[in-house]
Amino acid sequence: MDKIKDFINTNKERILNELFDFIRIPSVSAKPENKSAMYDAAQYLKNAILSAGAERAEILETAGWPLVYGEKIIDASKPTVLVYGHYDVQPEEPLELWNSPPFEPEIRDGKIYARGADDDKGQLFMHVKAFEFMVQQNILPCNVKFIFEGEEEIGSESLERFCKQHKELLKADVILVSDTSMISLDVPTITTGLRGLAYFEITLKGQSRDLHSGLFGGAVINPVNELSRLIAGLIDAEGKVTIPGFYNSVQTVSAEERKLLNSVPFDEKKFYAGINLKNGGGEKGFTVIERLGIRPSLDVNGIWGGHISQGAKTVLPAEAHAKISMRLVPDQHPEEIAKLFKDYLQKQIPEDFTIEIEYLHGGTPYVLPFYSLELEAAVNACQKTFGKKPVPVRSGGSIPVISVFEQVLGIKAVLMGFGLESDAIHAPNENYPLDNFFKGLETIPWFYHFYKK
Ligand code: BES
Ligand code: MN
Ligand code: MN
């Protein structure tokens, strides 16, 4: 086991070259015209798993983008670890803000710069290489299955059906995932919760056509004004969401757990300073850690309508649009929230108006208490390679399929991620420090070592 460090030193360059080939494939799942890149990325992974030592690997079709499945079963009586990751990435735009092309990985200041460097190509590749190491040394202590999907960044919609249809194939004792972050490279972190999501697109329609703002302004209700009013009313002065019933199923977190969550070395001032803010904002009565981890939120992701190109045009637009997302916490359910939201907006619009509220996608929240059996191996692995115990963090982000795995397959996921806040995932100049990549690679085999029991 201690040979992992030698393995890294000897193979560093080759491993990075392989990762770079993977990153060069522009597998942006949000672009339908991207079919060939999506299949290229899946094919790349299939080959990577096979050459790392899997006995079987295949590309499986879904209703959306394909999945890559692979396995090495050493002994049916040994526990099985199912490794999950996603090969799809977020769109690279806006291009002009990148300091180097998004799909031409480049190392600067010890960091890999590229779309997917962290989320999730860099992080999932640590698992492929950790597996290669264990096979090469003949020390693989568990059965391994891999499931790499291509739809995480667009909501993992095909995954639920796939899981229902392939329960036997995906049978495992634990799911191991690196697709989350750590507080810093000196603070190993286990993510003990993910927020759920409910995503909507809204269209508010008023009069039958665009109107001259002099001939009609003041005598009709402007849909853009009206949508702005509705949106402004969604959060009150205390930072609470105003949708009736929104908090009904929000679990109260015990004082003890709040204390544990807040005891991690996290500096609010630094967190805000990192994005050029002094005080930030949010729900009153909660720390930043709590606002992100145990409280739900509502945000406008985009809003448009009327005249938005150059110059002035005197017009009352006939329609207004917005995309709104909510991050949910246990036990909020996206479909229930969707119903409350639709009813609430519907009640408030002017008589003459119509509103369409389309639920685009969502996912349920996930929690795994820090003192769960599944986490023991991850805690010990971090202790081994970082020389200290990891801290628990309930993340504000979402990985929709994690709760699907729990509900459909009955398997808990251990979220042992190695990204940093500063990796700028989803943004221009996404990066992944080499130190994080190699620390992750070093830690993963120890998880298997401690998990085998
Ligand atoms: N890996 C992220 C989620 C994440 C990042 C969780 C860092 C915790 C720490 C994932 O790829 C992601 O971006 N998820 C989306 C899901 C959505 C598109 C359905 C998200 O959270 O917005
Ligand atoms: Mn991800
Ligand atoms: Mn992502």
Side-chain angles (χ1 to χ4, degrees):
M1 270 304 299
D2 291 302
K3 290 205 173 135
I4 180 68
K5 285 192 177 158
D6 298 337
F7 174 82
I8 291 174
N9 285 331
T10 320
N11 296 289
K12 224 170 200 159
E13 213 167 315
R14 174 181 61 85
I15 292 173
L16 289 177
N17 283 331
E18 290 174 14
L19 171 61
F20 284 13
D21 285 340
F22 181 34
I23 289 176
R24 280 190 196 98
I25 306 167
S27 44
V28 177
S29 52
K31 299 184 179 175
E33 70 274 18
N34 242 2
K35 192 162 176 188
S36 67
M38 295 305 285
Y39 278 84
D40 286 351
Q43 189 65 49
Y44 184 92
L45 272 183
K46 177 187 160 180
N47 293 341
I49 301 170
L50 283 174
S51 44
E55 295 154 342
R56 172 181 167 194
E58 43 203 279
I59 295 175
L60 300 172
E61 294 297 333
T62 70
W65 297 122
L67 284 166
V68 182
Y69 174 82
E71 64 177 35
K72 185 173 176 70
I73 308 296
I74 52 164
D75 177 348
S77 66
K78 297 238 161 96
T80 301
V81 177
L82 175 62
V83 175
Y84 163 84
H86 62 92
Y87 67 80
D88 66 321
V89 297
Q90 285 276 335
E92 66 276 28
E93 291 84 8
L95 262 180
E96 64 279 12
L97 296 183
W98 284 83
N99 297 327
S100 53
F103 296 107
E104 290 171 30
E106 195 176 290
I107 298 174
R108 297 194 301 272
D109 316 322
K111 299 170 185 176
I112 307 165
Y113 281 87
R115 172 58 83 237
D118 163 340
D119 187 13
D120 184 37
K121 285 177 168 170
Q123 294 219 55
L124 82 75
F125 210 65
M126 301 179 311
H127 287 268
V128 177
K129 294 295 121 176
F131 171 69
E132 179 182 303
F133 161 73
M134 292 183 286
V135 174
Q136 204 181 83
Q137 298 291 316
N138 211 3
I139 54 166
L140 185 66
C142 308
N143 303 311
V144 186
K145 294 181 174 180
F146 294 99
I147 184 90
F148 295 135
E149 69 153 318
E151 289 183 50
E152 198 279 337
E153 300 292 9
I154 50 172
S156 298
E157 281 197 286
S158 311
L159 261 277
E160 181 158 354
R161 197 149 149 236
F162 183 87
C163 288
K164 285 182 177 155
Q165 289 173 338
H166 295 87
K167 281 191 187 168
E168 197 50 42
L169 183 73
L170 300 175
K171 215 169 154 190
D173 297 282
V174 70
I175 296 172
L176 182 60
V177 184
S178 296
D179 191 25
T180 52
S181 35
M182 50 199 306
I183 289 184
S184 70
L185 188 57
D186 330 306
V187 184
T189 307
I190 301 292
T191 297
T192 53
L194 293 165
R195 286 196 288 186
L197 183 72
Y199 203 112
F200 303 91
E201 180 163 337
I202 296 179
T203 304
L204 185 64
K205 290 184 181 162
Q207 76 284 353
S208 59
R209 58 176 169 86
D210 284 4
L211 303 171
H212 188 291
S213 73
L215 302 181
F216 291 90
V220 296
I221 298 170
N222 178 328
V224 178
N225 291 21
E226 189 58 19
L227 183 62
S228 309
R229 188 186 65 80
L230 286 173
I231 288 173
L234 289 172
I235 304 215
D236 70 15
E238 299 290 294
K240 286 218 163 20
V241 175
T242 58
I243 303 167
F246 186 76
Y247 293 95
N248 282 0
S249 46
V250 171
Q251 267 181 25
T252 338
V253 176
S254 70
E256 196 188 54
E257 190 178 352
R258 282 175 76 173
K259 207 170 141 203
L260 173 71
L261 291 171
N262 284 304
S263 69
V264 308
F266 173 85
D267 184 333
E268 294 197 352
K269 286 269 176 261
K270 261 199 208 143
F271 170 78
Y272 285 127
I275 45 171
N276 224 350
L277 295 176
K278 282 203 192 77
N279 301 308
E283 192 180 0
K284 298 234 165 79
F286 294 94
T287 64
V288 171
I289 288 213
E290 292 169 341
R291 285 172 184 169
L292 295 173
I294 62 169
R295 301 297 294 171
S297 60
L298 180 151
D299 281 284
V300 177
N301 297 258
I303 177 165
W304 69 102
H307 178 63
I308 51 172
S309 51
Q310 238 185 6
K313 178 184 177 192
T314 48
V315 65
L316 299 188
E319 295 186 11
H321 308 261
K323 290 187 196 264
I324 294 184
S325 68
M326 299 171 206
R327 295 285 170 166
L328 310 177
V329 298
D331 296 313
Q332 286 178 304
H333 199 282
E335 260 103 48
E336 282 165 26
I337 294 296
K339 188 171 181 315
L340 297 175
F341 186 45
K342 287 179 183 176
D343 290 350
Y344 184 50
L345 290 184
Q346 197 73 54
K347 276 201 194 106
Q348 296 180 68
I349 60 166
E351 243 183 28
D352 288 342
F353 277 46
T354 57
I355 188 164
E356 288 157 30
I357 304 152
E358 193 190 349
Y359 173 73
L360 297 186
H361 63 73
T364 32
Y366 176 75
V367 265
L368 180 60
F370 197 49
Y371 301 105
S372 306
L373 258 182
E374 285 91 344
L375 284 187
E376 238 180 67
V379 169
N380 290 332
C382 290
Q383 171 74 51
K384 191 84 196 175
T385 56
F386 290 87
K388 53 177 115 162
K389 283 215 154 36
V391 300
V393 165
R394 281 175 64 167
S395 170
S398 310
I399 308 175
V401 72
I402 299 300
S403 59
V404 172
F405 285 147
E406 181 178 22
Q407 286 152 23
V408 178
L409 305 174
I411 315 171
K412 285 281 190 181
V414 170
L415 304 162
M416 186 169 74
F418 298 93
L420 295 178
E421 202 83 65
S422 53
D423 291 355
I425 61 172
H426 296 201
N429 304 309
E430 175 176 352
N431 63 89
Y432 194 31
L434 292 170
D435 288 347
N436 290 56
F437 178 84
F438 289 114
K439 204 68 186 173
L441 172 49
E442 185 188 334
T443 307
I444 291 163
W446 288 104
F447 175 88
Y448 288 79
H449 172 81
F450 289 114
Y451 190 73
K452 72 175 187 285
K453 285 159 201 157

